[in-house]
Amino acid sequence: MHFGDNLEVMRTLDSGICNLVYIDPPFNTGKRQALKSVRTVRDGSASRKGFQGQTYRTSVRSVREYSDAFDDYLEFIEPRLLEARRLLATDGSIFVHLDYREVHYVKVLMDSIFGRESFMNEIIWAYDYGARSKSKWPTKHDNILWYAVDPSRYTFNFEAMERIPYMAPGLVGAEKAAQGKTPTDTWWHTIVPTTGSERTGYPTQKPLGILNRIIAVHSNPGDLVMDFFAGSGTTAEAALSAGRRALLIDDNPEAMEVIARRLSQWSPDFRGWQAPRA
């Protein structure tokens, strides 16, 4: 785990060392992304009502945030994608997790870096949670671009793909219904539950289920998986749990603290950062 500017760190690494790269870069929303941790206690004088008419008050325990605004997003992301291309092995793949604001522009950029023939899929991660707009169709999906360094030679472990239930099991028969079907390029998966054990308290945390699928299918045991926008460390947990190795980079001290706690069972090696003393 490297603490520092990801571009500077990547430039110090040897070429061709990574078998899989997944990144979830800032989406360029123009906002500060923040996640509040709150504490709720019962208070008979408070105005917030809950179960069985009880009243509660809440207090903010902590706020984690970062800026998500760039004057020129492509200028920011291009040199990092070029380094990712250099660091990938000849049979490696890269997954870039974006949303509707930048995905079209980044795809054109990646076509120029990796080659249009290396574009394999645009995966749609669809979820159904949160507020709903009354002025347009609510935006409830992210876009994940998959490029293979060599489109004739890449890792795709079809048998490792977990199966999902049929929407109409009665139409396919009991045997097929029990086996389930393989996913398409549209993945329905809930966001990280706000009160679930998976939640780390880090803004924009992505669910383990998404990373588990990518790593199981697109890497092999012992492979090196890299995420240079490490954030909450989801990529590393998925990789290490599946017997892969992980290389993370981030320049946010709060991210390092979250990752140190989350990956403690694997005793990660930190470069350029030391965990604060208790």
Side-chain angles (χ1 to χ4, degrees):
M1 176 73 209
H2 293 264
F3 176 65
D5 179 88
N6 52 19
L7 184 57
E8 294 179 5
V9 174
M10 285 192 287
R11 285 172 173 166
T12 69
L13 303 175
D14 293 335
S15 299
I17 62 172
C18 298
N19 306 99
L20 175 64
V21 172
Y22 167 90
I23 56 170
D24 173 26
F27 286 175
N28 205 18
T29 61
K31 304 175 182 177
R32 287 196 67 80
Q33 298 291 344
L35 181 66
K36 293 182 179 180
S37 173
V38 300
R39 180 170 178 263
T40 303
V41 296
R42 188 177 299 175
D43 185 342
S45 63
S47 59
R48 180 179 175 183
K49 289 188 176 181
F51 182 64
Q52 292 184 341
Q54 298 289 342
T55 56
Y56 299 83
R57 60 179 170 84
T58 58
S59 59
V60 177
R61 300 172 64 179
S62 63
V63 179
R64 300 182 185 274
E65 62 178 0
Y66 69 89
S67 177
D68 185 13
F70 298 91
D71 292 333
D72 192 332
Y73 190 75
L74 295 184
E75 183 178 324
F76 163 76
I77 201 70
E78 181 178 16
R80 290 160 172 81
L81 291 175
L82 286 167
E83 282 300 305
R85 172 66 178 81
R86 180 183 66 82
L87 294 171
L88 276 166
T90 55
D91 61 348
S93 290
I94 181 171
F95 287 76
V96 181
H97 192 142
L98 301 157
D99 77 353
Y100 66 92
R101 296 174 183 87
E102 300 292 345
V103 63
H104 309 91
Y105 307 107
V106 173
K107 184 184 184 304
V108 173
L109 176 61
M110 294 187 71
D111 283 346
S112 69
I113 293 173
F114 290 88
R116 293 184 66 179
E117 70 282 358
S118 289
F119 172 68
M120 305 302 295
N121 276 121
E122 179 178 9
I123 296 164
I124 303 300
W125 168 35
Y127 44 85
D128 190 12
Y129 186 85
R132 292 179 176 273
S133 171
K134 295 183 178 180
S135 60
K136 64 175 184 177
W137 296 106
T139 305
K140 298 296 177 185
H141 78 275
D142 287 355
N143 311 66
I144 306 175
L145 301 176
W146 167 30
Y147 281 74
V149 173
D150 182 346
S152 66
R153 179 172 171 260
Y154 55 87
T155 299
F156 190 81
N157 298 316
F158 180 81
E159 295 303 323
M161 190 183 303
E162 89 282 15
R163 292 180 172 266
I164 59 177
Y166 281 93
M167 295 183 69
L171 298 180
V172 299
E175 184 176 348
K176 277 192 172 183
Q179 184 182 26
K181 61 180 179 179
T182 55
T184 67
D185 60 358
T186 299
W187 298 357
W188 287 91
H189 194 293
T190 185
I191 65 169
V192 180
T194 55
T195 58
S197 60
E198 188 179 327
R199 172 67 71 173
T200 66
Y202 193 81
T204 72
Q205 179 184 349
K206 298 304 182 290
L208 266 172
I210 297 295
L211 272 301
N212 287 339
R213 179 177 292 178
I214 291 173
I215 287 168
V217 175
H218 297 280
S219 68
N220 297 303
D223 280 356
L224 180 61
V225 180
M226 181 172 73
D227 183 346
F228 51 90
F229 290 98
S232 65
T234 302
T235 302
E237 181 174 345
L240 295 171
S241 297
R244 278 65 165 168
R245 296 172 295 137
L247 193 163
L248 303 183
I249 309 172
D250 207 290
D251 64 356
N252 187 337
E254 289 186 346
M256 304 299 286
E257 293 177 14
V258 169
I259 291 168
R261 292 194 300 270
R262 189 173 190 181
L263 305 183
S264 60
Q265 64 176 298
W266 290 283
S267 301
D269 178 25
F270 288 89
R271 308 288 176 89
W273 180 82
Q274 187 173 3
R277 294 182 179 179

